[in-house]
Amino acid sequence: MIQLLFLVLFAEGAAALLLMVKIGPLRELAMRGVEQAKDGKGPAAVKTLACTLLVIFMSSVASILRIQNRGIKLGTVSPMDQVLWRTHLLEASLIGIPLSSSSLTIFIFFTSTWWNLYNCTVGGGNDWGLGVDLVDFFGN
């Protein structure tokens, strides 16, 4: 399961990178993939997956706390408990990072979409008097 979580972590990092940086047609392909995931059965599947990962994450955190409390009660932690604690900690971090980075990816997607809509309807420009154009920051 740890290898699968590493794969998910790197895939989300690549998706976030493709959404942030304009690299030829790859960004458009990533945007279309996210847009198609919003249609049909995509939202239900994503919510189900996120809830499942959240339950596994909370189970790992509960196991970590249970092992720590056992160590506090006994005054020492057995080598087996140390191995279990490290495994649960790795699992919890590998699940927690994709959950938080997926939130970041969704934020980047919607912010980029909002800026595109803003530029098309209002005409863009730097109306807030900022030194940089935020649309260029998102690679549009």
Side-chain angles (χ1 to χ4, degrees):
M1 183 169 159
I2 302 294
Q3 292 87 1
L4 180 63
L5 293 173
F6 272 115
L7 178 68
V8 168
L9 183 66
F10 288 125
E12 283 190 0
L17 179 70
L18 287 176
L19 289 173
M20 285 192 318
V21 181
K22 189 172 186 178
I23 305 175
L26 292 178
R27 183 170 187 273
E28 295 299 322
L29 182 66
M31 292 286 279
R32 286 186 186 155
V34 172
E35 286 176 4
Q36 286 191 358
K38 292 188 321 182
D39 300 333
K41 297 179 183 178
V46 169
K47 288 176 187 175
T48 303
L49 181 64
C51 288
T52 304
L53 285 177
L54 188 62
V55 167
I56 295 171
F57 176 73
M58 295 307 290
S59 172
S60 292
V61 170
S63 296
I64 290 169
L65 293 176
R66 194 176 319 120
I67 292 170
Q68 283 182 341
N69 288 337
R70 190 179 323 142
I72 291 172
K73 284 181 185 176
L74 297 176
T76 184
V77 180
S78 70
M80 184 64 176
D81 283 342
Q82 289 177 356
V83 170
L84 287 172
W85 185 82
R86 289 180 182 150
T87 303
H88 287 299
L89 185 64
L90 178 64
E91 185 177 293
S93 64
L94 286 176
I95 291 174
I97 291 171
L99 284 174
S100 61
S101 68
S102 63
S103 300
L104 176 69
T105 304
I106 291 169
F107 172 76
I108 291 170
F109 172 74
F110 284 115
T111 305
S112 177
T113 305
W114 184 82
W115 278 109
N116 284 339
L117 180 64
Y118 173 77
N119 275 341
C120 291
T121 57
V122 179
N126 197 346
D127 296 336
W128 295 291
L130 299 172
V132 293
D133 193 3
L134 294 177
V135 176
D136 290 335
F137 174 75
F138 286 108
N140 292 330

